[in-house]
Amino acid sequence: MLLKEKVKESLDYILAKLPFQPQVAVMLGSGLGTFAECMRESVSIPVKDIPHYPCSTVPGHAGKWIVGKIGSVPVLCIQGRVHYYEGYSLEQVTYPVHLIAGLGIKTFIVTNAAGGLNPDFLPGDFMLITDHINMGLNNPLIGKPENQLGPRFPDLSHAYDSGLIELAGQTAQKFGMKVHKGVFCWVTGPSYETAAEVKMLQKIGGDAVSMSTVPEVIVAKQRRLRVLGISLITNLATGLSKTKLTHQEVTNAAAGAMQKFEQLITNIITQLDLKPL
Ligand code: HPA
């Protein structure tokens, strides 16, 4: 079945469930899933019910689409993204982005928990992504031409929207939050980096490293979405910290920063300059 046929079946299902048309999509990273609870009038759609949607098979980790309002802005929050390291293809990993674009949403906020490569970064800081380096060395757009839902060779020279970065930076400053700007490196994982790999990532210009986001952003640009990428620095990358890194450390740090994260994202969303639908 072609990608566009699968997308159409998924959209037919979703459109029948939506209470209103969302204008912004927020993809939530590891440990940041509870953000969706701050929305009003929300309706949730379990992703296991959406035809063709890639669902995590881990019990208790089932994903949800939650549509609700932040201020007066209708927002779609995506909980429980799937990762390449779980064995999904990059087409599956990026499938939600095709649905976002298919719904007519133009603004995509993608978030993740990341390791800090830049020595100035501390756990709990935020980084606004200004650019990325694809160290996963794979690309979700590899495939047959009939499966492309946009340009074959999309330009990534301004992948992250400078107006959104500016707005996010000003919002963070207003609330006294520490936010950096920097370059995000995608690695496939699931093992964390060696100390030598971290040195290399620093040398090639990386400021933060994580196992998601870049595939989604590549598809988002093919689909001409306006992208804001925000990393929550949950740990110092290997070799910069004296302790061993665990997944638990990452999710605990994300949970600890949830309130700040919620304040930042909700205030960005309510200030967005959105065109009428
Ligand atoms: N490395 C890779 N992925 C991550 C890290 C890290 O240090 N922290 C959170 N996700």
Side-chain angles (χ1 to χ4, degrees), residues 106-135:
K106 301 275 186 265
T107 304
F108 179 44
I109 302 178
V110 58
T111 69
N112 58 59
L117 297 167
N118 186 315
D120 292 340
F121 293 6
L122 289 173
D125 291 352
F126 291 104
M127 184 185 91
L128 305 173
I129 305 177
T130 54
D131 206 346
H132 73 225
I133 300 176
N134 179 348
M135 286 305 291

Side-chain angles (χ1 to χ4, degrees), residues 113-116 187 192-193 209-211 234-238 245 250:
V187 291
Y192 288 115
E193 299 68 43
V209 56
S210 188
M211 303 174 198
T234 51
N235 57 281
L236 301 181
T238 316
L245 179 58
V250 170

